[in-house]
Every structure is written in C-alpha cells, then in structure tokens.
Amino acid sequence: MASSQNYYEVLGVSKTATDAEIKSAFRKLAKKYHPDINKEPGAEQKFKEIGEAYAVLSDPDKRKKYDQFGHEAYTQGAAQGGFGGGFGGFSADDIDLSSIFDDLFGGSIFGNSSRRTSGRTRPTKGRDSLVKVDLTFEEAVFGCKKTINIDLDTECESCSGKGGTGETTCSTCGGRGRVVTQQRTMFGVFQSESTCPDCNGKGKTYKNVCKDCGGSGHVVKNKEIEITVPEGVDNGHQLRISGKGAAGFNGGPNGDIYIEFRVKDHPLFERKDNDIYLDVPLTITEAVLGCKKEVPTLSGTVVLTIDSGSQPGDQLRLRGKGVKDPVRNKKGDMYVVLDVVIPTKLDRKQKDLFKELSKTDLEVGSAFKNYKKYL
C-alpha cells in the first residue's frame, strides 16, 4: 500500500529537484536505512518508503501524475480500465526494490543476498505499453470507440511459452536464473546479481530449442484492440487497459496498456479544463442597444439576451454547458466572451450618423471622466 507521506518529504528534496538531486538523496537514505546495516525498529519500513518515493519521482511520467493528482494517482486499483481514482494505475506493491538497487548500485548492499528475490525464475508481470491516440475535439468531449494496433510480446503457441522441450536445470546458475559476483566499491563490498547468460534468466535449458521463439517462450504479434474513450478526456489524459499488455514470465500476469490522448483544437471553442470559451462577435450597435443572439454550444444552439451597454470582453456564463468531467461525472460551464467589432470601412451615410452621434452628450465611463480632468 502506498505511503501516505509526501514523496518529496520522504527523500528530503523540493518539488523542483532535478533527477540528479533525487537520485543522490535516494542513494544516501537507502544506504542509511538498508536493513542489512540498520537494525533499528522501523528501519525496514523506512527503507521501503524511500524505495517507493524514488520509484515514482525517478520516472518522469509517474512524477508528472503525482504532481498533478497526489497519492490518488497511485492508490491500489486506481484507474482500472478507466479514470477512477486518478490517471496512474501504479501500485506501490509492484515495486521491485532489488531492481532499483541493480540500477543504482549494481546489486545488493554489503554482500547480503538472502533478501533478494528478483529474477525471472519468479512470476514476473509483463511489460506495460504506451500508445498515443489522436482524437477530434468532439470525440474527446462526447467519447467514442477507437481501434488501436499494437505489437505485443505474447506467449509462443508452438512451445506453450516454455521455450523448448527436454527441459533440464541450468548448470551455470543452478536453476536460479541469476549469477552472483562480488565487487569492492567506496560503499563497501557489493554482491551483484545479473541474469544468467546461459539460460537467459529462466533457470532451465532445453535439449530442443523452439524454432519459432528461439527459446524465449515469447513472440511478437500485432494485435487490434478496441477501446472505449470516456466522455471528457483531454490532452495528456491516460486510460489504463488492465492485463492487455505484454505476456508475463513464469506464469506472471500480463502487463497493462496505457492510452494517452492527444486532442485536436476546435475552430470555435476553446477548452480550459472542463469549461468551454466562445468568442461571439457583436456590432457596435448590438453592444450599445442590446440584442438577441444565436450562440452555438456543445449541445446545440441557444438564444442569448445581450444587455444594452455591453462591453468588449464581458462574459456570459452558461451553467452546465461545458465538458463532462471523466472522474467526478460533473459538467463544466460555458463562457460566452463578447467581442465588439469596430468597423474599418463606413459609407457616407454611416459616417454622417456617427458624426451626428458625436455631437450628442454621450455618457462615458469613469475612466474617461478622470482622463478629462487632466486635460
């Protein structure tokens, strides 16, 4: 279960910390609280929180979601096939701390490998995939069906994912799938594990290697998957399709597919979060005298009453005429922005009318009155 603490506070860095600063902070704290060297109560839990925080903040996509949605983006079961609870679908329970230490330190710290359970001999979840899907403005607002094409690792049908026949235990790694080496560094003696080169991490070799998959147990296939785009998605929103990604290893679950949406602009409407903005042009006389105006909305045309004396930039609010929120199931509003158009060409009659109008004592705003005081 995800830690309730702020991930930046766990690592002791600011929200603007660079990748290098985050990695440096993690190194120091991980060495301090590693259970092999810190036997104080709570050290192991602290160590896991540090690993959880680093797993999120070191990944650009996860960090972006965390900054936007906080811990809701990473609660267990979030976004199962949709947008509920955030847009991440990440669970802290999936964190493999040992793989993080492989990346940063080259193996487990100070030679203790008893805690290590990583490796492909255990059930391992398949890789996640990211697909970017283009949507029109209307498709994003109202939702739609889309078919995506994606190349995925799938279990080889010829060998049922085994990789071959005549299975024997790998003599190089003794069936562990990993080989161990030791290295002395400035941090001490590191015991490093890596994938066995002879069995490719399976812990098994075969007398007869499968020709279709080359012994890997997996082949790449192109698949068509139909997805349902919820109402109200926007640029950068992600949809998680659980269990439809690459096949897992050793009986592990399939990975997930993340759909990231790219929404095209609309020629009239401008979207800001779940609100819609529309510029409506008015003539000078319409703004001065007031009028009735037909205005397009997402759900059809409405007739608005424009008050006399309306000013350029005035906004009229239409409640509930915006975009449906994909999480809270609530619609935003629409704002009609008045754009008073000044004519650039006038005929003789129009010019005469404006000249006559200029001779009258028109009411002006306080800004003009204050301006005249200093003339």
Side-chain angles (χ1 to χ4, degrees):
M1 184 176 180
S3 166
S4 59
Q5 286 186 268
N6 183 288
Y7 287 147
Y8 291 101
E9 293 177 358
V10 169
L11 295 183
V13 297
S14 67
K15 285 194 69 174
T16 58
T18 64
D19 291 342
E21 290 171 336
I22 289 172
K23 181 179 287 188
S24 176
F26 171 70
R27 281 176 177 267
K28 294 176 182 178
L29 292 172
K31 184 180 178 185
K32 178 180 179 181
Y33 289 102
H34 194 281
D36 290 343
I37 57 174
N38 191 328
K39 305 300 181 182
E40 295 180 3
E44 186 168 357
Q45 178 61 32
K46 180 68 175 177
F47 179 72
K48 290 179 181 178
E49 291 177 357
I50 294 165
E52 177 184 327
Y54 179 75
V56 173
L57 300 186
S58 63
D59 184 296
D61 289 335
K62 290 186 175 71
R63 183 178 181 182
K64 180 181 178 182
K65 295 184 187 70
Y66 180 75
D67 288 342
Q68 188 174 3
F69 300 105
H71 276 67
E72 286 188 9
Y74 300 108
T75 54
Q76 185 75 359
Q80 291 289 343
F83 288 82
F87 299 86
F90 168 82
S91 170
D93 296 334
D94 293 334
I95 294 175
D96 186 355
L97 288 180
S98 59
S99 65
I100 293 175
F101 276 87
D102 278 341
D103 294 338
L104 290 180
F105 299 110
S108 59
I109 295 181
F110 298 104
N112 187 339
S113 62
S114 63
R115 300 178 185 271
R116 296 298 297 270
T117 59
S118 66
R120 291 173 61 187
T121 55
R122 66 177 176 85
T124 305
K125 181 182 176 182
R127 293 193 305 273
D128 294 338
S129 301
L130 176 66
V131 179
K132 295 187 177 182
V133 174
D134 291 322
L135 299 175
T136 65
F137 189 88
E138 290 80 3
E139 286 174 332
V141 170
F142 299 111
C144 62
K145 299 280 188 180
K146 284 284 185 179
T147 299
I148 62 171
N149 281 281
I150 183 172
D151 292 329
L152 291 173
D153 267 354
T154 59
E155 191 175 89
C156 177
E157 295 178 357
S158 299
C159 63
S160 300
K162 293 182 178 179
T165 59
E167 178 183 301
T168 59
T169 301
C170 177
S171 58
T172 302
C173 64
R176 294 183 63 247
R178 298 179 71 84
V179 291
V180 180
T181 57
Q182 286 191 343
Q183 181 182 9
R184 292 185 178 277
T185 72
M186 61 182 291
F187 296 105
V189 178
F190 284 68
Q191 183 164 290
S192 175
E193 287 187 1
S194 58
T195 301
C196 176
D198 291 341
C199 67
N200 198 29
K202 287 190 171 184
K204 306 167 186 177
T205 56
Y206 304 93
K207 292 180 180 179
N208 303 306
V209 176
C210 177
K211 295 180 180 179
D212 290 339
C213 65
S216 68
H218 284 190
V219 293
V220 177
K221 285 187 176 182
N222 182 268
K223 290 189 175 183
E224 282 192 352
I225 300 175
E226 185 178 71
I227 63 172
T228 299
V229 179
E231 293 182 55
V233 299
D234 202 355
N235 268 318
H237 282 182
Q238 287 190 353
L239 172 68
R240 178 191 182 190
I241 305 176
S242 179
K244 295 295 185 180
F249 293 91
N250 301 305
N254 289 355
D256 303 324
I257 297 177
Y258 290 88
I259 310 297
E260 184 172 306
F261 298 110
R262 296 181 296 197
V263 183
K264 296 179 182 178
D265 292 333
H266 192 278
L268 286 180
F269 300 118
E270 180 184 358
R271 179 175 176 179
K272 295 180 181 179
D273 295 326
N274 295 321
D275 294 330
I276 294 293
Y277 288 79
L278 173 67
D279 289 337
V280 174
L282 298 178
T283 65
I284 291 179
T285 53
E286 286 176 329
V288 172
L289 302 177
C291 64
K292 300 283 187 180
K293 199 78 173 177
E294 280 192 337
V295 175
T297 72
L298 296 176
S299 55
T301 302
V302 299
V303 177
L304 288 184
T305 299
I306 309 298
D307 293 334
S308 61
S310 293
Q311 301 296 310
D314 282 355
Q315 294 185 2
L316 304 180
R317 181 183 183 184
L318 303 179
R319 292 183 180 273
K321 292 292 185 180
V323 181
K324 182 179 179 181
D325 190 294
V327 176
R328 294 186 291 271
N329 202 29
K330 180 182 177 182
K331 282 194 173 184
D333 301 324
M334 178 175 172
Y335 292 88
V336 174
V337 183
L338 302 185
D339 180 18
V340 181
V341 180
I342 306 298
T344 55
K345 293 183 180 180
L346 297 173
D347 59 27
R348 183 182 297 274
K349 182 177 180 180
Q350 290 170 331
K351 287 182 179 179
D352 290 340
L353 289 172
F354 271 102
K355 287 178 181 178
E356 287 298 319
L357 183 64
S358 67
K359 296 176 182 178
T360 64
D361 186 17
L362 289 173
E363 181 184 352
V364 294
S366 59
F368 284 97
K369 292 178 180 178
N370 290 334
Y371 172 76
K372 285 187 175 182
K373 288 180 181 179
Y374 293 91
L375 292 180

